Amino acid sequence: MIGVAVVGYGYWGPNLVRNFAETGGARLVSVCDLKTDRLAAVQARYPAVEITDNFEQVLRDPRVDAIAIATPVSAHFRLAMQALMAGKHVFVEKPMAATADEARRMVDEAARRRLVLAVDHTFIHTGAVRKMRELVENGLGDMYYYDSVRVNLGLFQHDVSVIWDLAVHDLSIMDYVLPEKPIAVSATGMSHVAGEPENIAYLNLFFESKLIAHIHVNWLAPVKVRRTLVGGSSKMIVYDDLEPSEKIKVYDKGITLNGNPQKNGEKVYQMLVGYRTGDMYAPQLDMTEALGRELRQFVDCIERNEKPIADGNAGLRVVRILEAATQSLAQRGRVIELDQVRRIA
């Protein structure tokens, strides 16, 4: 049994605690939080689980093999590094750190100590996103675009912009689904609340091929939208996370190019664009709770000394893009190259 402690019992912590308590191979040892009312709620629901407001106590506990961190982003690096240096495996909320340098140091420390470092990219463990990756690998043809919209009214964050709060989801999905990694990013956005970070933003990501990605995130939308379009030369996907059952729809639609590019030896292009319209189908999806599946994999990786799908390098790639997008925002959309030397393949 892998002994687990959860640090942070705010918004996401209760979900981690519930799933760890139900995950085979794991034993929930303790929950740590600075607020006594949150700890009282833990004790009322899980009387066998220890509660503490002392993180040092968690680090010293020999029963704890792994620590799950669900605190504000600003505390991720400090807590994760302390846990790794104490010999504990780490599961950390996304984004994994506030800067790419911090994320890289976490990756290096975990590798040096041969510990599992997992980042909570929950969406890649959903049946919908796993199906989307399968379709991209086996049925869409050449990739054309990835276009995502993630908007709603609230919840405003005071410590991070809408990019770090919402776009991190789409970037983690994109990192998992697409066969290429971006080489540059451009971002524009605006804050409509004085003294607060940007509440609306648009990201463009560029690749070595003709693939392009666009992400729109917004805290000021009158409706909630969670929709992604993935276009290929053979088929196209619409992924709507708000759909109760048919979250993935595959369209056999596209274009065909016909015509003779040369005429009488001259370079006269007369390409005729034709439209292909076929069937639409909604594949059956695995509806297993993503977080439960993710934590089961985390425990298995500790037992087998393996790397999780969303390991530290995946988390670093996402933070690197977030950091570059923030730089671009400050410069009104200037294209920021993702450093080839520092970029993780």
Side-chain angles (χ1 to χ4, degrees):
M1 299 288 285
I2 303 299
V4 179
V6 174
V7 178
Y9 198 74
Y11 172 72
W12 195 243
N15 294 319
L16 291 174
V17 168
R18 174 176 58 83
N19 276 278
F20 271 124
E22 299 171 357
T23 297
R27 182 178 78 256
L28 184 61
V29 175
S30 63
V31 175
C32 178
D33 198 286
L34 295 177
K35 296 189 176 181
T36 56
D37 57 331
R38 293 177 178 177
L39 293 177
V42 176
Q43 195 165 49
R45 187 166 183 178
Y46 306 95
V49 175
E50 288 190 9
I51 57 173
T52 180
D53 61 357
N54 188 341
F55 183 60
E56 294 293 333
Q57 180 179 327
V58 175
L59 295 176
R60 293 192 302 266
D61 193 335
R63 299 170 301 166
V64 174
D65 304 299
I67 296 178
I69 299 170
T71 64
V73 179
S74 58
H76 285 182
F77 173 72
R78 176 178 59 83
L79 297 176
M81 286 296 284
Q82 285 183 269
L84 291 169
M85 289 188 288
K88 313 293 186 183
H89 303 279
V90 170
F91 180 91
V92 61
E93 275 301 292
K94 62 182 172 297
M96 68 181 292
T99 68
D101 181 65
E102 289 181 350
R104 192 173 295 105
R105 289 169 63 185
M106 290 163 62
V107 170
D108 291 344
E109 188 68 24
R112 188 171 70 84
R113 296 179 180 272
R114 297 183 179 180
L115 295 168
V116 174
L117 173 59
V119 184
D120 186 15
H121 292 172
T122 316
F123 277 100
I124 71 171
H125 295 274
T126 63
V129 174
R130 287 189 290 116
K131 175 60 69 174
M132 188 157 56
R133 174 179 166 127
E134 177 186 322
L135 291 165
V136 167
E137 290 177 340
N138 300 299
L140 264 63
D142 296 332
M143 295 303 302
Y144 287 166
Y145 65 84
Y146 180 100
D147 198 329
S148 181
V149 178
R150 186 175 298 270
V151 304
N152 56 266
L153 189 60
L155 298 163
F156 272 71
Q157 305 293 320
H158 302 289
D159 55 340
V160 294
S161 73
V162 69
I163 289 179
W164 288 77
D165 180 50
L166 292 184
V168 63
H169 299 297
D170 300 289
L171 292 173
S172 66
I173 294 171
M174 191 182 71
D175 182 76
Y176 176 71
V177 168
L178 296 185
E180 296 182 63
K181 307 305 178 190
I183 60 172
V185 61
S186 170
T188 55
M190 190 63 63
S191 171
H192 297 90
V193 181
E196 295 294 321
E198 291 83 2
N199 51 258
I200 180 171
Y202 303 88
L203 281 70
N204 290 303
L205 295 111
F206 306 94
F207 299 77
E208 291 181 352
S209 70
K210 291 185 178 181
L211 171 63
I212 188 169
H214 177 259
I215 296 173
H216 170 205
V217 286
N218 188 352
W219 283 329
L220 279 178
V223 294
K224 185 175 183 177
V225 180
R226 300 284 186 269
R227 185 174 298 152
T228 300
L229 278 68
V230 182
S233 59
S234 299
K235 295 180 181 178
M236 302 179 181
I237 297 172
V238 176
Y239 163 42
D240 191 338
D241 191 48
L242 299 185
E243 280 283 340
S245 56
E246 296 182 348
K247 293 180 181 293
I248 295 286
K249 293 179 180 177
V250 184
Y251 291 82
D252 186 9
K253 292 185 176 183
I255 60 172
T256 57
L257 300 178
N258 304 294
N260 188 357
Q262 291 190 354
K263 184 178 181 181
N264 299 326
E266 299 178 2
K267 292 184 178 180
V268 178
Y269 290 88
Q270 295 181 333
M271 283 293 185
L272 299 177
V273 179
Y275 298 93
R276 186 188 74 256
T277 302
D279 295 332
M280 182 281 290
Y281 72 94
Q284 186 173 359
L285 304 176
D286 179 2
M287 302 305 288
T288 305
E289 183 179 0
L291 184 56
R293 182 185 181 91
E294 183 179 28
L295 297 185
R296 174 69 259 180
Q297 183 191 81
F298 176 58
V299 172
D300 288 345
C301 286
I302 293 173
E303 293 175 340
R304 301 170 186 172
N305 193 28
E306 296 176 349
K307 287 186 176 182
I309 296 174
D311 62 358
N313 284 330
L316 171 55
R317 288 194 296 269
V318 170
V319 172
R320 181 72 187 102
I321 296 172
L322 291 170
E323 190 174 67
T326 302
Q327 295 172 18
S328 180
L329 263 179
Q331 300 176 56
R332 294 191 172 184
R334 185 172 77 85
V335 175
I336 304 295
E337 300 288 335
L338 296 173
D339 190 338
Q340 295 293 323
V341 177
R342 300 169 66 186
R343 184 162 54 91
I344 300 298

